Amino acid sequence: MPAFRYEALFADGKNKTGVMNADSARAARAELRGQGLTPITVEQIASQEQTKNQLGLFADKLSSTELSLFTRQLASLLEAGLPLEQAFSALLEQAERIYVRDLIAAIRAEVMAGHSLSEVLKRYPRDFADIYTSLVASGEQIGQLARVLSRLADFIERRNALVQKVKLAFTYPAIVTVVAFAIVIFLLAYVVPQIVSVFANTKQHLPILTVIMLAISDFVRAWGIVVAILVIAASWCWLQLLKNPEVKMRWHSWLLSAPLYGRFERSLNTSRFASTLAITIGSGVPILQALQTSRDTLSNVAMRAQVDHATTAVREGVSLARALSTYQYFPPMLIHMIRAGEVTGDLPAMLERAADSQQQDLERRALTMAGLLEPVLILVMGVVVLLIVLAVLMPIIEINQLVR
């Protein structure tokens, strides 16, 4: 039974909007009239399959916060004993954004039609990733959907918290960089030429620093836009070049061993891998499928390739710890925790501890890198501005000396 978004009027003229399920638009209007309402508009809520080709990159979707809230609320309602249909009805009443309300209504309509929740969620890939639908399917199979959704909500909340901390750590250096670059460009393009041109017209012999600064200023004014276009074009070409699998593999392999950033890249991907593997195995997903799902969360293709090789080895009967220890990118701590989990039979708990350790290491490295960037950026900015000020003041100082 499809879902319809409607707008109707009460007898006293007050407006009402909402979502309802009906066999057709005509049936929805008839039901509204039966409730004493005068329908104004009744529109069927389109599925993502019907709209994704039209919307493209600008398609709306659930934010990470909305996904976390949706999962937590659904888990709480199911744990309270509400049937799935009533749980979605309660979520529909609490939804604030139109897109979220439409999405919940569409899911509820398809669930009421007899489809499983995991099957329905797979039809909305922009909002629900493969790991999400896989875990929901696992919860349905073992009859523990509420427990699996609760663990999934914990997983999403921890991931959101980690992303937020990393973003906050690098927000200040990014702002300082942009502001510093804008100030330097402004000084070179407008301030320096207007001030120094006064001394140039007097045919005074200018200091070498002032001459260099004037040359840089002339270059910025004459070729600044061209340089900006070339930088944008080079960035676009680099992105196109990274579409080549071999080039991307080499680049990502280098990132893992890059000075300073390499440990950060490894910690980020290891944390994702361990936390995803912990929740998938702990939710009853077979280990081969869990490895594939965890592999898809990695952003580094070199580490993805290693997981593929490890998955093949596990399929042939090799233990997971031994399969991963063959490669160098996963930290020894993770290997040891996996080996301990395999020996004790409590692999999910050990993976969660490893994920927590990697998240703490990632936070520490992010704060360290941000802490190093801040004084370096301020120092560089100060030196550049000092050079510009000296380039302007040195001719003035020379004139004062001549007058004396």
Side-chain angles (χ1 to χ4, degrees):
M1 184 179 294
F4 293 87
R5 183 191 308 112
Y6 68 86
E7 181 179 1
L9 294 176
F10 287 100
D12 58 1
K14 292 184 178 180
N15 185 277
K16 179 181 180 182
T17 59
V19 177
M20 64 185 305
N21 298 104
D23 293 326
S24 64
R26 177 177 296 180
R29 292 190 183 94
E31 185 175 343
L32 289 172
R33 293 190 185 98
Q35 297 175 8
L37 298 170
T38 302
I40 300 176
T41 59
V42 177
E43 300 177 350
Q44 183 175 352
I45 299 174
S47 64
Q48 287 189 359
E49 285 77 4
Q50 295 173 306
T51 59
K52 65 181 180 181
N53 292 331
Q54 299 175 350
L55 297 175
L57 294 175
F58 300 99
D60 204 350
K61 61 176 294 185
L62 287 179
S63 67
S64 57
T65 303
E66 289 171 338
L67 179 62
S68 173
L69 181 61
F70 167 84
T71 308
R72 177 63 68 191
Q73 289 179 334
L74 182 58
S76 300
L77 291 171
L78 293 178
E79 288 175 345
L82 269 68
L84 197 58
E85 178 186 343
Q86 294 183 19
F88 274 105
S89 298
L91 290 177
L92 187 60
E93 294 176 359
Q94 300 175 22
E96 297 180 358
R97 197 158 65 96
I98 294 178
Y99 176 79
V100 179
R101 187 163 56 246
D102 291 350
L103 176 64
I104 294 174
I107 295 174
R108 185 187 65 173
E110 296 184 54
V111 169
M112 290 173 61
H115 301 284
S116 66
L117 180 59
S118 59
E119 180 183 350
V120 174
L121 296 182
K122 288 179 181 178
R123 301 175 185 176
Y124 302 89
R126 285 202 312 269
D127 299 311
F128 305 101
D130 291 339
I131 179 178
Y132 196 103
T133 55
S134 297
L135 290 174
V136 171
S138 174
E140 290 174 329
Q141 291 172 4
I142 64 178
Q144 296 289 336
L145 181 58
R147 183 175 65 85
V148 171
L149 283 172
S150 180
R151 295 193 62 186
L152 186 56
D154 293 337
F155 169 75
I156 297 173
E157 290 168 358
R158 288 198 304 268
R159 183 188 63 185
N160 291 347
L162 177 62
V163 171
Q164 188 68 18
K165 288 179 181 179
V166 173
K167 286 183 177 179
L168 288 175
F170 288 101
T171 296
Y172 180 73
I175 293 175
V176 171
T177 301
V178 172
V179 172
F181 189 78
I183 291 174
V184 170
I185 293 297
F186 174 76
L187 291 175
L188 290 175
Y190 296 99
V191 177
V192 172
Q194 292 182 7
I195 296 179
V196 180
S197 62
V198 176
F199 304 103
N201 293 333
T202 61
K203 297 182 179 180
Q204 175 188 352
H205 178 71
L206 298 176
I208 185 64
L209 179 61
T210 305
V211 174
I212 294 174
M213 203 60 64
L214 278 175
I216 296 174
S217 176
D218 293 339
F219 178 83
V220 170
R221 297 177 68 186
W223 300 96
I225 297 179
V226 176
V227 171
I229 294 174
L230 289 176
V231 170
I232 295 174
S235 301
W236 182 84
C237 291
W238 176 245
L239 292 176
Q240 297 303 311
L241 188 62
L242 285 179
K243 293 182 179 180
N244 184 312
E246 184 178 351
V247 174
K248 190 173 184 178
M249 177 67 72
R250 291 181 179 179
W251 170 245
H252 282 199
S253 298
W254 180 83
L255 285 178
L256 292 172
S257 57
L260 294 179
Y261 181 77
R263 294 291 295 275
F264 182 85
E265 177 81 1
R266 292 198 298 272
S267 295
L268 175 62
N269 283 273
T270 301
S271 174
R272 288 177 177 175
F273 176 78
S275 58
T276 306
L277 193 60
I279 189 174
T280 48
I281 294 178
S283 300
V285 177
I287 187 170
L288 293 178
Q289 183 181 347
L291 284 171
Q292 181 62 37
T293 303
S294 303
R295 176 255 187 207
D296 293 338
T297 63
L298 298 176
S299 60
N300 190 285
V301 296
M303 297 186 74
R304 282 190 178 188
Q306 291 192 355
V307 174
D308 288 336
H309 295 315
T311 303
T312 302
V314 171
R315 185 179 291 110
E316 295 173 353
V318 179
S319 67
L320 179 58
R322 183 177 178 184
L324 290 176
S325 63
T326 309
Y327 308 101
Q328 70 224 19
Y329 293 141
F330 289 98
M333 186 275 298
L334 175 65
I335 307 299
H336 295 325
M337 297 295 281
I338 292 176
R339 183 175 291 111
E342 290 175 331
V343 172
T344 61
D346 197 7
L347 182 57
M350 292 299 169
L351 284 169
E352 287 182 358
R353 292 183 183 178
D356 291 339
S357 175
Q358 289 299 308
Q359 287 180 3
Q360 293 174 5
D361 182 69
L362 181 62
E363 293 176 16
R364 184 173 63 255
R365 292 187 183 282
L367 293 175
T368 301
M369 291 177 64
L372 291 174
L373 282 174
E374 291 174 15
V376 169
L377 290 173
I378 294 175
L379 180 61
V380 171
M381 175 65 178
V383 170
V384 172
V385 173
L386 176 62
L387 291 176
I388 294 175
V389 172
L390 287 177
V392 174
L393 290 179
M394 287 179 70
I396 299 176
I397 295 174
E398 290 188 357
I399 289 179
N400 290 336
Q401 290 178 346
L402 290 175
V403 170
R404 291 179 182 178

